[in-house]
Amino acid sequence: MAAAVLLVAPGRAQPEPPAPPPLLQVEPGQGIGPFRLQLGLQGLLALLGRAEAERAVVDMEEATWGCTVRATGRVVRFTWRAKGLWLTADADTGSVRVLAGFGPSGPFLTDRGVRLGDPLEKVQRRYGGGAQRVDCQLPRGVRATILRYRELGVQFVAFHGPTPYAGRVFELGVFRPGLF
């Protein structure tokens, strides 16, 4: 069996792999990295960039029809896909409700070491059993589980069913403690 050998010419450096994105610390009840809840809607939009945001108005009663806990009112949702961030605010008052990181992975790290892509069981081990659990039936046989730690101001969402990331954290969000 022949062994493959990689030869590098003297004086020629190997290209450096791309640097991973810097970690964004998720602080329950406070914010994600430099994106602080206390900035309010206009401050967050200015910092994140209004031009790159997708905007949608969502009727919460309609959006939570298949959930074990229902919501009312309307929110405006801004999504920055390239940054893996979204936020919702009350559509009438502009009060920020949730700021969240999303995706199968990303630079987000909570105060207790939970990241996107971690199993939902890790959340329960790190944060304990005091979460409000909301289960939602979504289209195409997909279900969502939200673990909301109301007193801390942090929530985690995992999807179940025919999805490649079943049972893993796909969204982690912060809100003002006691808001929900």
Side-chain angles (χ1 to χ4, degrees):
M1 177 185 284
V5 177
L6 174 64
L7 297 176
V8 177
R12 298 188 74 187
Q14 288 284 5
E16 290 292 322
L23 284 178
L24 291 176
Q25 188 68 42
V26 176
E27 298 175 58
Q30 300 297 314
I32 298 175
F35 313 115
R36 315 310 290 172
L37 294 174
Q38 69 189 23
L39 293 172
L41 179 59
Q42 296 310 314
L44 285 166
L45 289 174
L47 191 57
L48 286 161
R50 188 182 292 267
E52 298 88 24
E54 297 172 22
R55 182 183 183 280
V57 176
V58 178
D59 178 320
M60 292 303 292
E61 190 168 342
E62 190 176 303
T64 60
W65 68 266
C67 298
T68 55
V69 174
R70 302 289 305 271
T72 59
R74 291 179 323 122
V75 298
V76 60
R77 179 177 170 135
F78 295 90
T79 304
W80 294 266
R81 291 191 190 282
K83 292 178 174 133
L85 288 168
W86 61 258
L87 74 80
T88 57
D90 184 280
D92 296 324
T93 67
S95 177
V96 174
R97 292 174 52 110
V98 178
L99 173 64
F102 70 93
S105 65
F108 311 105
L109 179 66
T110 72
D111 61 327
R112 298 187 190 179
V114 175
R115 297 175 174 267
L116 293 174
D118 282 345
L120 200 56
E121 293 79 24
K122 182 177 181 179
V123 171
Q124 294 169 309
R125 285 193 311 271
R126 299 285 173 96
Y127 285 88
Q132 174 190 38
R133 183 184 177 112
V134 180
D135 292 303
C136 299
Q137 185 62 50
L138 304 173
R140 296 182 290 277
V142 175
R143 297 179 332 278
T145 297
I146 303 166
L147 295 181
R148 184 175 294 137
Y149 292 87
R150 297 166 62 181
E151 70 285 353
L152 298 175
V154 66
Q155 68 182 24
F156 303 87
V157 179
F159 296 103
H160 309 279
T163 174
Y165 306 106
R168 300 194 168 275
V169 176
F170 195 82
E171 296 179 1
L172 50 88
V174 295
F175 53 90
R176 288 190 175 84
L179 181 63
F180 295 102

